[in-house]
Amino acid sequence: MPFPFVLPTTSSISYTHFFSSSTHPSLPNCATTARNVLRDVLKRHKRIPPSSQASNLSTVLSALNDYIPYLFALDAGLSGSNCAGEEIDLVLIKELEVEWRSTLSASIPGREPTRTKLKSLESELCFTLTTLAYVYNLQARAQLHILYNATLPSPEQRATAIGAAMKHFLEANSVHTYLVNRAGQWNAQPTAVDISVSVMGALAELTIAEATLITVLKDDPYPTIVIEDRNKSNVDWMFRSVEIPKVRAHLFARLCLASSEHAAKAQAMLGRSSKINDDLHKYVDDMRRAAKGKACRFLACDAESSGKTGEGIAWLRGARKELGFIAVGAEEEKKSSGFSKLKKEWQEKREDRKIEKGEGWGADAGKFEEGRVVDMLLKKWEKMNDTVGVQLIPPSEPLLASMPSGREYHSPKMFIVPALDEDSLVRMRAPPDPSEAFQGEEDDSGAEDERNAPVGAFPGTKSDYAANTTYY
């Protein structure tokens, strides 16, 4: 369940005020047109209801793919490198100034973050590519939502959705990894937290963790069984045990552990910075817990299939501890009933309602869904162990300490820098035509800041309520 990223919006600029080219005079004008189209698309996407935004992602992706080649052409002109075999002579008139709205920074509840003023083309390129990675994540999120709908997909539809989501995750990872490698050449950190080295590195680790975790989703039957059990129209009340081959269960556990390790790295990179919103901090921690708990569950299946039901129950109790639901031990098991159990059930029902609405779901990284699977197996195996074959249940701590190492599944995908085609470069050798410039149809983002003035403020006095004034 990918993180529900919010796509940023940006201010309106004209590259003709900052760059000029003797070899390709129309390049700044064409780049401005492509950027204004993207700016309008992002602002319209922001006004769409969250439950309907998934269908508009293809439009945003198309606008990004149209604009990014121009951005790299400007970058090639400034750095003196070739673009599609041609040398672009680009002169910097004055330093580029642009504003992007940060969507990962901490803000006052109920109010969106303010716009961040950025300088240099490098910041513009990083924010644009980060937005591209967000779109890939949201596309993967839309694919995975198919698996949790009330109408269960067929095995073919399930495999197609998981394959498409995995592809989007790897594409997002390639973008973040490219930006991290590019940031190694920076002399100073940018002012926006969204494009800081630590955040981009954390997002790179997070996307590869998610891509690794869903590799086991296609062959994992237990989440589907739990969803069917919650389906009110399901008349198949009898539970048939599902067998997982011993080798694959152990393999799945190692893949989940690798995913947990990547999430732990992302958590370490984010640290406890107060500049990042709490939702992302919590999601990364839930992602680490969900992957670790899933690994414990697969190791439990491996033990139970070998006839070690007692050890399997111990693994499941360890999974509940890793998920953060209860502590391990018979004494703590009794204490977990009551209010904590009621709270967990309420959180699960709230997540179900979010999935039905298609809005705000998955913020727990699948932790509660995995908890349901663990509870289902634990209830079944404890009943079997109490009635059929009584085995001693060992403590979970030694088992958790002896977990195997993680196993990587994916090889990082390299991001291919998009370049303008030769025909576009040839056309930009002609002088710019002002009539062809697209200035955009949406109001500037500054108008939004004025509309979002503090409640009760007199019109035109929003600046008096800034953080550095006597009002705060």
Side-chain angles (χ1 to χ4, degrees):
M1 296 184 182
F3 182 74
F5 288 100
V6 177
L7 299 185
T9 54
T10 182
S11 62
S12 176
I13 63 169
S14 176
Y15 281 121
T16 56
H17 298 158
F18 304 97
F19 305 107
S20 65
S21 176
S22 59
T23 57
H24 299 78
S26 296
L27 175 58
N29 193 56
C30 293
T32 300
T33 299
R35 189 185 189 280
N36 286 336
V37 171
L38 172 63
R39 171 181 165 274
D40 277 17
V41 169
L42 288 174
K43 293 183 70 64
R44 288 181 182 139
H45 180 83
K46 180 181 177 181
R47 292 197 296 267
I48 297 176
S51 58
S52 305
Q53 288 182 351
S55 59
N56 191 58
L57 290 175
S58 58
T59 303
V60 180
L61 182 62
S62 177
L64 283 165
N65 289 333
D66 290 341
Y67 170 56
I68 290 175
Y70 289 102
L71 202 53
F72 276 103
L74 293 173
D75 181 65
L78 288 179
S79 60
S81 57
N82 292 337
C83 178
E86 291 193 23
E87 184 177 349
I88 299 177
D89 180 26
L90 196 68
V91 177
L92 181 65
I93 301 176
K94 61 179 181 179
E95 189 174 21
L96 177 67
E97 295 182 356
V98 65
E99 294 181 356
W100 281 85
R101 191 177 300 280
S102 173
T103 58
L104 294 183
S105 61
S107 60
I108 300 175
R111 293 179 59 187
E112 61 182 351
T114 58
R115 293 187 305 181
T116 304
K117 294 183 179 181
L118 304 169
K119 295 184 177 182
S120 79
L121 185 67
E122 185 73 15
S123 298
E124 168 73 11
L125 188 146
C126 287
F127 235 111
T128 304
L129 289 182
T130 300
T131 306
L132 176 66
Y134 292 168
V135 172
Y136 286 139
N137 271 277
L138 293 174
Q139 286 183 323
R141 176 182 169 83
Q143 292 292 332
L144 293 180
H145 186 252
I146 299 173
L147 309 181
Y148 299 95
N149 281 333
T151 304
L152 292 176
S154 64
E156 293 77 13
Q157 292 173 332
R158 181 181 176 86
T160 301
I162 292 174
M166 189 183 303
K167 177 185 176 183
H168 294 318
F169 278 136
L170 294 177
E171 289 173 337
N173 174 260
S174 68
V175 175
H176 288 306
T177 304
Y178 170 80
L179 290 176
V180 171
N181 295 333
R182 188 181 178 102
Q185 306 173 3
W186 293 353
N187 296 324
Q189 284 288 321
T191 56
V193 68
D194 304 57
I195 56 174
S196 62
V197 177
S198 58
V199 171
M200 291 189 299
L203 294 179
E205 294 290 342
L206 184 61
T207 49
I208 198 65
E210 291 170 324
T212 303
L213 192 60
I214 65 171
T215 56
V216 304
L217 190 59
K218 184 178 67 172
D219 298 323
D220 185 6
Y222 293 106
T224 304
I225 293 173
V226 173
I227 294 174
E228 288 179 349
D229 187 56
R230 298 202 311 266
N231 191 355
K232 297 179 181 180
S233 61
N234 183 24
V235 296
D236 186 14
W237 57 271
M238 297 185 63
F239 177 77
R240 295 181 300 172
S241 62
V242 182
E243 296 182 359
I244 298 181
K246 178 180 178 181
V247 176
R248 292 188 64 83
H250 197 270
L251 171 63
F252 290 166
R254 294 189 62 189
L255 292 175
C256 294
L257 288 172
S259 176
S260 178
E261 291 169 2
H262 284 294
K265 291 179 182 177
Q267 190 174 20
M269 290 180 180
L270 291 178
R272 296 187 177 275
S273 174
S274 59
K275 296 182 179 180
I276 303 295
N277 65 47
D278 293 335
D279 291 339
L280 183 58
H281 277 294
K282 184 178 181 300
Y283 177 84
V284 175
D285 182 61
D286 287 344
M287 180 74 185
R288 179 187 61 81
R289 290 180 176 273
K292 197 73 171 290
K294 196 182 290 287
C296 293
R297 193 244 299 175
F298 279 120
L299 291 173
C301 293
D302 186 53
E304 195 274 339
S305 64
S306 302
K308 302 176 183 178
T309 306
E311 183 179 328
I313 293 174
W315 275 116
L316 291 180
R317 290 181 178 177
R320 297 182 73 180
K321 178 185 178 183
E322 293 294 342
L323 291 170
F325 295 141
I326 65 166
V328 179
E331 296 293 330
E332 300 295 338
E333 184 86 13
K334 296 178 182 178
K335 295 179 182 179
S336 66
S337 59
F339 178 74
S340 60
K341 183 177 180 181
L342 182 64
K343 179 181 177 181
K344 179 174 177 289
E345 292 177 352
W346 176 78
Q347 290 174 326
E348 290 174 351
K349 290 180 180 179
R350 185 178 64 173
E351 186 67 21
D352 290 342
R353 289 193 295 268
K354 290 181 179 180
I355 292 176
E356 291 176 3
K357 295 179 180 180
E359 180 179 344
W361 65 277
D364 65 334
K367 185 178 70 173
F368 290 116
E369 193 70 23
E370 182 59 30
R372 285 169 165 168
V373 177
V374 171
D375 289 343
M376 177 195 70
L377 291 176
L378 189 59
K379 182 180 179 181
K380 178 191 174 189
W381 291 357
E382 284 180 340
K383 184 176 181 180
M384 290 173 54
N385 192 52
D386 292 341
T387 57
V388 181
V390 179
Q391 295 184 10
L392 292 176
I393 302 174
S396 298
E397 287 86 350
L399 294 177
L400 296 176
S402 64
M403 296 183 76
S405 59
R407 176 174 174 176
E408 298 293 342
Y409 184 84
H410 297 291
S411 299
K413 184 179 179 182
M414 182 175 294
F415 176 71
I416 300 176
V417 176
L420 290 171
D421 56 86
E422 296 182 3
D423 293 338
S424 298
L425 286 172
V426 169
R427 288 194 298 269
M428 285 188 291
R429 293 175 184 170
D433 186 0
S435 62
E436 296 179 356
F438 177 75
Q439 299 300 326
E441 300 174 356
E442 298 291 327
D443 294 334
D444 188 42
S445 297
E448 295 180 8
D449 291 336
E450 193 63 37
R451 288 196 298 269
N452 293 329
V455 177
F458 191 79
T461 63
K462 180 178 181 296
S463 59
D464 296 337
Y465 292 82
N468 59 348
T469 62
T470 57
Y471 284 90
Y472 288 92

